[in-house]
């Protein structure tokens, strides 16, 4: 039996790669080092992050209520906020550009005055790790492990900063390769890449494995628990993260990444959040196990 690749997913062949930060770009507290050799088995992974349209089908069929909806608020970037100022419940200590906004959720990503009506093909946001797990269960898939995510995101380029190489590839009249912040963070975004917040999931070129926008746009949940010292003790074959820990791994960076405060829009970059957390720049993509004989698969 040859492998059947579901629509919207790609087959990533297994292999060995050097996981981690090859350039010394990361914050030591994020645990991007040491670079270590990891082998992953073949797996399936979504070509794009899950869209608003796909998440809407899930909600319609299951009646799922997201954590943001249950809590009654979620985090919205201040320049994107849409609604009455009375809907702003608080700003985040140490990061005042994040606002806790009443009724912000995947349906209303910028607050009560917003909608996803014209953004069916944008990534769904305000989705917690728990929400992502529920979606994966409905879809018959799972979240990727952190090692799978990085292997797929690299697109076959060993040790490169980005899915296309080491050069960010912007400015000087060249086309932007990703959706991140341009200008002075957090008050002035020149939108040279065309977007203040999310871009449609197929706005930029796919990488060598056929994945779109693995860096920038939205953070992506992974299955693993987070530990800053994990790379020093990770097993070599198909690691699944530490057995203990409250936070879950997030990868890829988002439309808010900027060198002045956060350069985590690299394939080696990692951070974490608690599994019930949500925000306007956090989404996910699904993965799956390979069932069948790879020898007959194109």
């Amino acid at each position: 039996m040859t492998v059947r690749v579901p629509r919207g997913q790609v087959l990533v062949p297994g292999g060995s790669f050097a996981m981690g930060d090859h350039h010394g770009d990361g914050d030591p507290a994020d645990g991007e080092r040491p670079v270590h050799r990891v082998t992953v088995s073949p797996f399936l992974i979504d070509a794009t992050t899950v869209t608003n349209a796909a998440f809407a089908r899930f909600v319609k069929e299951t009646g799922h209520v997201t954590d943001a909806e249950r809590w009654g608020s979620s985090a919205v970037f201040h320049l994107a906020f849409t609604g009455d100022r009375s809907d702003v419940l608080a700003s985040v200590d140490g990061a005042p550009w994040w606002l806790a906004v009443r009724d912000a959720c995947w349906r209303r990503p910028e607050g009560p005055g917003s909608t996803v009506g014209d953004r069916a093909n944008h990534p769904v946001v305000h989705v917690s790790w728990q929400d992502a797990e529920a979606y994966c269960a409905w879809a018959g898939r799972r979240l990727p492990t952190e090692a799978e995510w990085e292997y797929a995101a690299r697109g076959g380029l060993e040790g490169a900063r980005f899915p296309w190489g080491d050069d960010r590839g912007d400015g000087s009249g060249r086309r932007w390769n990703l959706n991140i912040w341009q200008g002075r963070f957090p008050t002035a975004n020149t939108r040279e890449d065309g977007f203040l917040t999310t871009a449609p999931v197929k706005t930029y070129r796919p990488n060598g494995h056929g994945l779109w926008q693995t860096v920038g746009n939205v953070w992506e949940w992974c299955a693993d628990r987070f530990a800053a010292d994990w790379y020093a003790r990770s097993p070599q074959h198909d690691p699944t993260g530490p057995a203990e820990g409250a936070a879950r791994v997030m990868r890829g960076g988002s439309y808010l990444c900027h060198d002045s405060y956060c350069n985590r829009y690299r394939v080696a970059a990692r951070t974490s959040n608690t599994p019930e957390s949500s925000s306007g720049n956090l989404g996910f993509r699904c993965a799956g196990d390979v069932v069948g004989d790879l020898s007959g698969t194109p």
Side-chain angles (χ1 to χ4, degrees), residues 173-284:
R174 292 178 291 178
R175 182 178 183 271
W176 281 81
N177 290 321
L178 76 171
N179 177 16
I180 56 174
W181 186 277
Q182 298 92 41
R184 187 176 65 257
F185 187 86
T187 57
N189 190 338
T190 61
R191 307 191 197 190
E192 292 171 23
D193 59 12
F195 304 96
L196 174 64
T197 62
T198 60
V201 296
K202 289 188 175 181
T203 299
Y204 305 98
R205 296 187 183 96
N207 70 9
H209 288 316
L211 276 68
W212 298 76
Q213 290 170 234
T214 56
V215 294
N217 215 26
V218 294
W219 283 102
E220 301 180 26
W221 287 114
C222 291
D224 306 35
R225 291 180 172 88
F226 177 86
D229 66 346
W230 177 241
Y231 284 8
R233 53 192 174 96
S234 168
Q236 180 178 352
H237 295 279
D238 291 325
T240 56
E244 297 180 349
R248 297 286 177 165
V249 171
M250 295 156 46
R251 298 295 300 254
S254 82
Y255 58 79
L256 293 180
C257 281
H258 187 266
D259 287 342
S260 67
Y261 90 107
C262 169
N263 71 338
R264 296 187 181 97
Y265 54 92
R266 300 165 288 106
V267 289
R270 60 198 300 257
T271 190
S272 65
N273 212 332
T274 53
E276 73 280 2
S277 296
S278 62
S279 66
N281 66 340
L282 178 53
F284 70 106

Side-chain angles (χ1 to χ4, degrees), residues 18 33 41 65 75 77 109 116 122 134 137 162 164 166 173 180 223 277-278 281 295:
R33 287 187 160 187
S41 301
V65 178
F77 182 66
V116 293
H122 283 238
F162 307 110
W164 54 85
D166 288 334
I180 56 174
S277 296
S278 62
N281 66 340
S295 63

